[in-house]
Every structure is written in structure tokens, then in C-alpha cells.
């Protein structure tokens, strides 16, 4: 006689609330780690020196988080989310303590890399943990909360970093993680159940090493290309060659691995393929859009750094609002296909409008454009993860979830690099067109203030004109993402309780 189906857990259940609270706390800890030091970089450089390598304090974290995502995702499938969350917190806190004690910039960059390993692992494991405790229909709402946490960290991180640096010291940017991390560790110990089954597993060391090499080569190339080295310099081109060779070797290894770090059959899964394609493209558009807006507010609108950070609030409000509302919509209707189509279309409109910015564009209009961008970005990540988790077997839930973060980060890295190159070339062209002798070197507060009003206006006009192609490309990318969204096959979201974690040795059954 068949047993009655267990009651599906809900977000209102006390135990589930505790788990979600722990997950959101760890996600905020990890995502704030990526953004909190941005406003403090000049002060850190003044203390430690090494201005020529300062960008690696951010790039190192991004690189480590990208390569850690699939590894932590797979290990979470094999050994449980609790162990991986606590391991991620431990690594993150170790990196934080060492970073706070850095004696030079090289040490800081290394410690940021360690932080990024823990942070990247926390982000993907937190998102995967939602799939362990909630039925598919309820996951959308929870993933919406996680998307809101991401949006919050984008704006709050730089502001919080500025306040800490002004009030205390840049070293407290890292020390402040300790009490938060310890509290999250303790809550996870209470809220999460440990894996009771213990048997020997086959870790795909070769696959993990090759995938890490391929991702590292790509991220480093996009970071050094066009800045430290010319894009087509032989020293720079070595990196994509290494990445391509590692990728081919990875594909060969994964076909034979007993427990592949990233099962190749997932790429035949419609939800996996479409959602990650949309996430990759939106990552390109999102990071490109966000990266250059503060500079427009500082240089053209004349904002102070703190004001420029606050000016991003409309985007954060749009992102948090649309992410949360999309989760509620999914929970009530069980439908999700239309959300990435509509949201990316809104993102395309917002980016296209940003491509019309001028020297005298009213600030309320700028805020409205940024609101549209936030509304467009918000649902993509949470809906993508929900669709993927709903379409893959539970045995690969972690690594499939990690793919969403991995592809978005790769898209962001490429977006910042490619759009940055477009901006630099266009800015050089615009300043040459107005015959300014200092070229792009004229864009600093002192130089602009010393210029006569007509010349200053021409320089600011050149700057805004150089920004336009960035937003045109971002708008085109978002439009392509909206078209790709139509190819998503919507699988009904179940109200059933998640199946218990199966052995990874079991034969996977990919959803069609």
C-alpha cells in the first residue's frame, strides 16, 4: 500500500525560516565581500602601495569565486550542503583575517583570492540549499529573496565600505566579517541536518583542475587584456590558448569520469542551456551597465563618491522589487517562462535609454533609467536557478545551480573587458576629435575645474558620447537574451516535498 505524500514544507514553517535566514546571511556575507572594498581602494593603496596592481584586489576575488562555484556545487551534491556551507565560511573567514593583517598589496591580493574561494562556494551552496528544503513551486519565492540580497550588496557594499574606512580603518573591512561569519556558522549547525550516509566517493580531480584552468585563463585574459597588456600581445594570447586546450581536455576527461565535476549531459537539458545562456548575456549587460554609471555621476553630474553610491538606489529598488515579486508570482501561479522574456526586454529598454545620456540630462530621468535596468535584472537570476533546479535530477542539484552563478560571472568578466575596450577606444576618438591636447588624461576633477566653461563642456560631451556605445551594446545583448528566453520549455512546478538526496552513483535521469 502506497504511503501518503508528505506535507510539502512552506516558507512559513519555523524550521524552513531558520534555514532560509541562515542561507540569506551567508549569501550576504559572500556577496558583500566582493563589493565592500571598492570605495576603500585608494586608501588601501596609500597604506600598502602597489597602485599598478590594485585592480587585482577585486579581480582576485572574482576569479576565485568563479572557479570555486562548480567545485563547491559538486562537493555539495556528494557530501551535503551543511558541510560545504561551513567549509565555505571557514575559508572565507581565514581569508578575511589574513587580509586584515596584510603588509603589502601582494599579500592582500592572495588573501582576497582565498576569500573568493570561500565566498564563491557560499553563494552556490546557499542557492542549492533552497532546492533541498522547499518544493519547486516555493523555491521561486526563496530565490527571489536571494536575488534581492545580491542587489542589496551591490549598493550597500560600497556605502558600508566607505563608512567603515571613514570611521575606523580599512582593515576593519575584513575584521567585520568575523562575528557575522561565526553567527552564520552556528545557525547552520543548528538549522541544517548532517549527511548520515558515508561511503567512498570518487572525486573528479582531473576535471576540477582542467575546468579551473580554463576558467582562470579566461577571467585573467579579460582582466589584463587592454589594460596591463594589449589584447593581441603574444604574452596575452597565451592565456586563451591555455584556456582552449584545458577546455578540450576537460570535455574529454568528463566523458570518462565516474562522477564528473560538471556532467556533460546537462548541456542537453533545455532549462540548463537556455537559462545559462540568458544569465551569461545578462551578466555581460549588467556588469557593463553598473560599472560605468558611477563614473558618469562623478565626472559629468559632479556628484561626490557617497552621493554617487546613493544614486544607484533606484536600480537597487527595481532589482529587489522585481526579484521579490517574480518569486511571489512563481509561487502563486507555478509559471515562470514569461518572466525572463519580459524582464530582459525591460533591461534592453533601460540600457537603450542610458545610451541617450547627455551632459545636461536631468538627474530624475537618469534615476528612472536606472530603475528600469534594475527591474530588468532582478528576475533573471532567481528565475534561472528555479528553472534549472526544477529540470535536473537531485543528484546534480548543486553543480547545476553552480552553473548559473558561473556563467553569469563569466559573462560579467567578458562584459567589463569588452565594453571597457569599446569605451576606451571611443573616448580616445572623441577627445582627439575636439583636439584636446591632454586626451583622456584630462578627465580628473582638478583638470576639468581648471578648464574654461566651453572647453569643459566639450570634454564632458566627449565623455558621455564615449559611454553611449556601451549601453547600445548592452541593450542589444539584453534583446538577444529576451529572444533566447522564448526557447525555454516550461516544466510545471511541483508542490511536492523535495526527494531526499540520492546517491551520486545512481544513474541520472535528465529532465527533458
Amino acid at each position: 500500500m502506497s504511503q501518503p505524500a508528505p506535507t510539502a514544507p512552506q516558507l512559513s514553517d519555523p524550521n524552513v525560516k531558520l534555514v532560509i535566514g541562515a542561507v540569506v546571511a551567508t549569501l550576504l556575507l559572500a556577496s558583500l565581500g566582493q563589493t565592500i572594498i571598492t570605495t576603500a581602494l585608494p586608501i588601501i593603496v596609500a597604506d600598502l602601495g602597489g597602485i599598478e596592481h590594485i585592480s587585482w584586489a577585486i579581480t582576485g576575488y572574482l576569479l576565485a569565486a568563479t572557479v570555486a562555484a562548480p567545485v563547491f556545487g559538486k562537493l555539495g551534491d556528494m557530501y551535503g550542503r551543511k558541510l560545504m556551507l561551513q567549509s565555505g565560511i571557514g575559508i572565507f573567514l581565514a581569508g578575511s583575517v589574513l587580509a586584515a593583517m596584510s603588509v603589502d598589496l601582494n599579500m592582500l591580493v592572495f588573501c582576497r583570492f582565498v576569500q573568493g574561494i570561500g565566498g564563491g562556494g557560499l553563494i552556490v551552496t546557499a542557492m542549492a540549499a533552497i532546492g533541498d528544503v522547499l518544493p519547486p513551486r516555493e523555491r521561486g519565492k526563496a530565490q527571489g529573496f536571494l536575488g534581492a540580497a545580491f542587489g542589496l550588496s551591490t549598493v550597500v557594499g560600497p556605502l558600508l565600505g566607505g563608512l567603515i574606512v571613514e570611521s575606523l580603518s580599512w582593515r576593519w573591512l575584513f575584521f567585520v566579517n568575523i562575528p557575522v561569519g561565526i553567527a552564520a556558522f552556528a545557525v547552520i549547525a543548528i538549522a541544517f541536518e548532517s549527511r548520515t550516509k558515508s561511503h567512498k566517493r570518487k572525486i573528479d580531480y582531473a576535471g576540477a583542475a582542467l575546468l579551473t584552468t580554463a576558467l582562470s585563463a579566461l577571467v585573467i585574459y579579460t582582466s589584463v587584456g587592454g589594460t596591463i597588456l594589449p589584447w593581441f600581445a603574444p604574452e596575452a594570447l597565451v592565456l586563451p590558448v591555455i584556456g582552449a586546450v584545458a577546455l578540450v581536455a576537460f570535455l574529454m576527461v568528463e566523458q570518462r569520469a565516474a562522477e564528473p565535476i560538471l556532467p556533460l549531459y546537462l548541456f542537453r537539458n533545455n532549462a540548463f542551456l537556455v537559462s545559462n545562456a540568458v544569465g551569461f548575456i545578462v551578466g555581460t549587460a549588467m556588469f557593463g551597465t553598473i560599472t560605468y554609471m558611477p563614473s558618469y555621476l562623478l565626472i559629468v553630474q559632479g556628484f561626490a563618491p557617497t552621493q554617487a553610491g546613493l544614486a544607484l538606489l533606484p536600480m537597487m529598488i527595481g532589482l529587489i522589487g522585481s526579484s521579490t515579486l517574480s518569486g511571489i508570482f512563481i509561487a502563486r501561479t507555478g509559471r515562470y517562462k514569461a518572466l525572463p522574456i519580459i524582464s530582459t526586454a525591460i533591461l534592453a529598454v533601460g540600457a537603450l535609454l542610458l545610451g541617450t545620456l547627455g551632459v545636461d540630462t536631468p538627474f530624475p530621468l537618469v534615476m528612472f533609467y536606472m530603475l528600469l535596468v534594475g527591474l530588468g535584472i532582478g528576475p533573471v537570476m532567481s528565475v534561472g536557478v528555479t528553472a534549472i533546479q526544477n529540470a535536473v535530477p537531485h543528484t546534480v542539484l548543486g553543480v547545476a545551480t553552480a552553473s548559473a552563478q558561473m556563467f553569469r560571472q563569466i559573462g560579467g568578466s567578458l562584459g567589463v573587458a569588452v565594453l571597457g575596450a569599446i569605451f576606451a577606444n571611443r573616448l580616445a576618438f572623441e577627445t582627439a576629435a575636439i583636439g584636446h591636447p591632454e586626451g583622456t588624461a584630462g578627465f580628473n576633477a582638478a583638470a576639468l575645474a581648471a578648464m574654461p566653461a566651453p572647453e569643459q563642456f566639450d570634454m564632458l560631451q566627449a565623455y558621455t558620447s564615449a559611454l553611449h556605445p556601451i549601453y547600445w551594446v548592452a541593450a542589444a545583448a539584453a534583446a538577444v537574451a529576451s529572444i533566447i528566453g522564448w526557447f525555454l520549455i516550461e516544466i510545471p512546478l511541483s508542490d511536492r516535498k523535495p526527494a531526499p538526496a540520492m546517491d551520486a552513483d545512481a544513474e541520472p535521469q535528465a529532465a527533458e
Side-chain angles (χ1 to χ4, degrees), residues 193-373:
E193 295 181 2
S194 300
R195 279 277 180 92
T196 54
K197 293 184 68 174
S198 178
H199 57 274
K200 189 175 181 180
R201 311 305 296 262
K202 297 178 182 178
I203 298 176
D204 182 16
Y205 293 107
L210 289 168
L211 183 59
T212 297
T213 301
L215 293 176
S216 299
L218 176 62
V219 174
I220 294 173
Y221 178 65
T222 56
S223 299
V224 303
T227 53
I228 298 175
L229 294 171
W231 284 104
F232 298 106
E235 307 94 307
L237 290 175
V238 169
L239 290 167
V241 171
I242 292 174
V245 171
L247 181 59
V248 171
F250 169 75
L251 295 175
M252 295 172 63
V253 166
E254 293 305 272
Q255 291 176 350
R256 296 172 175 80
E259 294 188 31
I261 196 77
L262 181 59
L264 299 183
Y265 69 81
L266 287 175
F267 289 92
R268 300 193 299 270
N269 184 293
N270 173 269
F272 181 91
L273 199 58
V274 173
S275 296
N276 282 331
V278 171
F280 175 86
I281 295 171
V282 170
T284 301
M286 177 183 72
F287 282 96
T289 300
I290 294 173
T291 299
Y292 291 95
M293 182 49 58
S295 65
Y296 169 80
L297 296 171
L298 289 167
I299 294 173
V300 180
Q301 295 277 352
F303 280 34
T306 304
Q307 291 175 317
L310 289 171
L312 296 177
L313 281 174
M315 186 195 71
M316 183 189 74
I317 292 170
L319 194 156
I320 292 175
S322 62
S323 179
T324 304
L325 290 175
S326 65
I328 294 173
F329 175 82
I330 291 172
R332 289 184 177 177
T333 67
R335 309 299 296 269
Y336 55 86
K337 178 176 179 176
L339 292 172
I341 297 172
I342 296 171
S343 65
T344 47
I346 294 172
L347 174 59
V349 172
L352 197 60
L353 290 172
L354 286 174
T356 66
L357 291 177
V359 177
D360 53 357
T361 301
F363 180 62
L365 206 55
V366 178
M367 293 178 70
F368 174 68
Y369 297 164
M370 292 300 291
L371 175 65
L372 290 178
V373 169

Side-chain angles (χ1 to χ4, degrees), residues 168-192:
L168 300 167
S169 157
W170 66 263
R171 299 183 187 275
W172 280 95
L173 296 173
F174 305 105
F175 282 134
V176 75
N177 293 324
I178 298 174
V180 179
I182 292 174
F185 190 98
V187 172
I188 289 168
I190 298 170
F192 282 77

Side-chain angles (χ1 to χ4, degrees), residues 423-498:
F423 172 72
N425 290 331
R426 184 60 184 265
L427 186 60
F429 172 81
E430 293 289 344
T431 52
I434 61 175
H436 193 270
E438 293 186 39
T440 57
F443 289 102
N444 61 74
L448 288 170
M451 294 178 187
E455 185 179 351
Q456 185 183 85
F457 181 84
D458 287 343
M459 286 290 283
L460 295 178
Q461 187 65 49
Y463 192 88
T464 55
S465 296
L467 285 174
H468 292 166
I470 289 178
Y471 297 118
W472 296 339
V473 172
V480 170
S482 183
I483 294 170
I484 292 175
W486 285 97
F487 293 93
L488 179 64
I489 298 174
E490 189 173 56
I491 301 174
L493 295 173
S494 172
D495 289 318
R496 291 178 301 173
K497 184 177 181 179

